[in-house]
Amino acid sequence: MVKSYKTHSFINGLRFSCVSALKENKGKLILSFILVFTAICTGIFIAIKSNNAYELGRRQDISLDDFYSGVAASSSAFFSRSLSLVVNVTILTVLSFSIYLFPLAEVLFIYRGYLFGLNFALVFIFYGISGAITGIIVILPCQLCTLFVLIIFYFIFQKMNRNSKKFGCTECNRALYVLVAILLLIAINLIETLLLCVLNGKVIMII
């Protein structure tokens, strides 16, 4: 009974934090989404206009030979992406402690957006129709969800740090929010990996 109440209370608190962060940071959120969208379009444009798209693909985390063997859907790729997401959350957690570090957080969002656009376009170039289907069904929704969670987490944690300075906040609560963000991102990564397994996962790994 007590555990159920605490869980319900935490979920309500998380929902309130999300809504509150969205309202208080509407301008910054719009700016973040515009910059990320621009970065995605830039990545797509560079991939399409590149005279050597194959070389672009070889510069990613795994080689094209590995792409064709389905490495992107392997357990090693899953853990590699999970580690990358944990690092991203850690960086955003540190950056959220000061509003003056907001531009650095934007750089991270833009970087991930650019890589997403670049890799998404390369999927179409290298794998044709099958790559397009995999990209639209798997990569597009999963990577957009990952970007969304990272952006929202940053603003929620920034708000929590601001409230902590004003009203006080237990470290336990903040650690719990970080854990929830990491688990949510890993869950998205797991879904993406499983879908890639089903669809033979011959795609470029987004870092």
Side-chain angles (χ1 to χ4, degrees), residues 96-152:
S96 69
F97 280 96
S98 173
I99 58 173
Y100 300 109
L101 296 177
F102 171 66
L104 294 180
E106 287 295 336
V107 170
L108 178 60
F109 300 145
I110 292 170
Y111 176 68
R112 287 194 64 94
Y114 167 76
L115 286 181
F116 166 49
L118 179 70
N119 286 299
F120 187 71
L122 289 177
V123 167
F124 282 74
I125 294 172
F126 291 133
Y127 304 113
I129 299 299
S130 63
I133 294 173
T134 302
I136 293 172
I137 294 177
V138 181
I139 300 177
L140 181 62
C142 289
Q143 290 302 316
L144 286 180
C145 284
T146 297
L147 275 167
F148 181 78
V149 170
L150 285 171
I151 292 172
I152 295 300

Side-chain angles (χ1 to χ4, degrees), residues 12-186:
N12 284 337
L14 181 60
R15 187 185 300 116
F16 175 79
S17 296
C18 289
V19 174
S20 180
L22 287 172
K23 288 181 178 179
E24 291 184 16
N25 298 282
K26 190 178 295 184
K28 289 182 179 179
L29 275 168
I30 293 174
L31 174 63
S32 297
F33 288 132
I34 290 175
L35 291 176
V36 168
F37 177 75
T38 303
I40 292 172
C41 292
T42 301
I44 293 173
F45 179 80
I46 290 176
I48 293 174
K49 291 296 183 179
S50 174
N51 293 325
N52 196 348
Y54 183 84
E55 184 60 30
L56 274 178
R58 289 182 63 85
R59 292 176 184 174
Q60 307 305 311
D61 284 348
I62 49 181
S63 69
L64 286 174
D65 294 333
D66 290 333
F67 301 159
Y68 282 109
S69 63
V71 168
S74 67
S75 59
S76 61
F78 166 75
F79 287 114
S80 176
R81 288 193 294 264
S82 295
L83 178 60
S84 175
L85 290 170
V86 171
V87 171
N88 277 217
V89 170
T90 302
I91 293 173
L92 290 175
T93 300
V94 173
L95 296 178
S96 69
F97 280 96
S98 173
I99 58 173
Y100 300 109
L101 296 177
F102 171 66
L104 294 180
E106 287 295 336
V107 170
L108 178 60
F109 300 145
I110 292 170
Y111 176 68
R112 287 194 64 94
Y114 167 76
L115 286 181
F116 166 49
L118 179 70
N119 286 299
F120 187 71
L122 289 177
V123 167
F124 282 74
I125 294 172
F126 291 133
Y127 304 113
I129 299 299
S130 63
I133 294 173
T134 302
I136 293 172
I137 294 177
V138 181
I139 300 177
L140 181 62
C142 289
Q143 290 302 316
L144 286 180
C145 284
T146 297
L147 275 167
F148 181 78
V149 170
L150 285 171
I151 292 172
I152 295 300
F153 163 76
Y154 170 76
F155 285 109
I156 289 177
F157 214 73
Q158 189 182 67
K159 173 181 168 55
M160 291 184 70
N161 289 327
R162 191 164 58 246
N163 288 343
S164 176
K165 293 178 181 178
K166 292 180 180 179
F167 314 111
C169 174
T170 62
E171 296 298 327
C172 180
N173 285 341
R174 285 191 285 190
L176 199 55
Y177 275 82
V178 172
L179 180 61
V180 168
I182 291 174
L183 291 176
L184 186 56
L185 289 168
I186 290 177

